[in-house]
């Protein structure tokens, strides 16, 4: 007999995460080899002449992949190529300093899927109505 509980628990979440990680590591020689490799942050900032943040990119690298988490350009600077420059710099750093061969990111339909396609990214996944009324895209690009 089991009892099902609906309770937010950091302790149980951490225990579940550890057990799932251990199960996956035991089942996959690839993950077993990668477990020693930690993700490495990759952050880039574009500051104007008054040191005000004009744009930024936050991501990390792991297992030969760059994952772009956030890319933002202040509205006053959009259309000037700043986003393209940040993304290209992140890809170069990921490739040359972190050994990455691929990049990935997620974006919503109202954000920038066309921008990323122009930068050479291809749509590899689409989730319609996530959240309701919005489509989420996963895009990827080979860096080599």
């Amino acid at each position: 007999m089991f009892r099902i509980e609906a309770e937010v628990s950091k302790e149980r979440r951490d225990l579940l995460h550890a057990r799932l990680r251990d199960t996956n590591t035991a089942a996959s020689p690839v993950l077993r080899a990668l477990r020693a490799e930690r993700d490495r942050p990759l952050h880039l900032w574009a500051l104007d002449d008054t040191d005000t943040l004009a744009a930024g990119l936050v991501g990390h690298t792991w297992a030969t992949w760059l994952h772009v988490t956030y890319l933002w350009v202040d509205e006053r600077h959009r259309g000037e190529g700043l986003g393209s420059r940040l993304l290209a710099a992140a890809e170069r750093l990921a490739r040359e300093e972190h050994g990455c061969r691929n990049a990935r990111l997620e974006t919503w339909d109202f954000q920038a899927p066309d921008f990323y396609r122009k930068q050479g990214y291809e749509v590899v996944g689409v989730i319609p109505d996530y959240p309701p009324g919005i489509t989420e895209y996963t895009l990827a690009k080979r860096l080599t």
Side-chain angles (χ1 to χ4, degrees):
M1 193 71 165
F2 297 96
R3 182 177 70 251
I4 305 295
E5 296 180 355
E7 172 191 357
V8 176
S9 168
K10 182 182 179 328
E11 261 181 45
R12 287 180 179 169
R13 182 202 66 198
D14 292 347
L15 177 61
L16 184 71
H17 179 251
R19 289 185 178 171
L20 182 60
R21 183 190 60 233
D22 293 347
T23 300
N24 290 343
T25 300
S28 170
V30 173
L31 282 180
R32 199 167 28 258
L34 290 171
R35 284 295 175 217
E37 186 179 329
R38 296 268 182 215
D39 65 345
R40 295 171 55 191
L42 195 155
H43 299 180
L44 296 170
W45 313 108
L47 306 173
D48 67 15
D49 54 4
T50 65
D51 284 339
T52 301
L53 183 65
L57 182 148
V58 171
H60 68 274
T61 61
W62 180 72
T64 73
W65 281 82
L66 163 64
H67 187 159
V68 177
T69 309
Y70 309 119
L71 173 58
W72 173 83
V73 177
D74 186 284
E75 190 172 346
R76 295 172 294 171
H77 301 290
R78 292 182 188 155
E80 298 174 5
L82 195 48
S84 300
R85 288 175 49 202
L86 279 172
L87 189 57
E91 292 169 357
R92 182 184 50 74
L93 286 169
R95 187 177 56 252
E96 294 175 5
E97 296 183 17
H98 299 229
C100 291
R101 296 189 301 260
N102 302 284
R104 62 165 295 180
L105 55 88
E106 295 83 28
T107 191
W108 284 319
D109 56 5
F110 66 87
Q111 289 177 316
D114 292 335
F115 165 79
Y116 292 115
R117 284 186 191 106
K118 289 177 187 172
Q119 309 310 311
Y121 284 77
E122 295 180 17
V123 173
V124 295
V126 178
I127 305 174
D129 218 30
Y130 179 75
I134 296 172
T135 299
E136 182 181 83
Y137 294 92
T138 301
L139 295 99
K141 177 181 178 178
R142 295 230 10 114
L143 298 179
T144 55

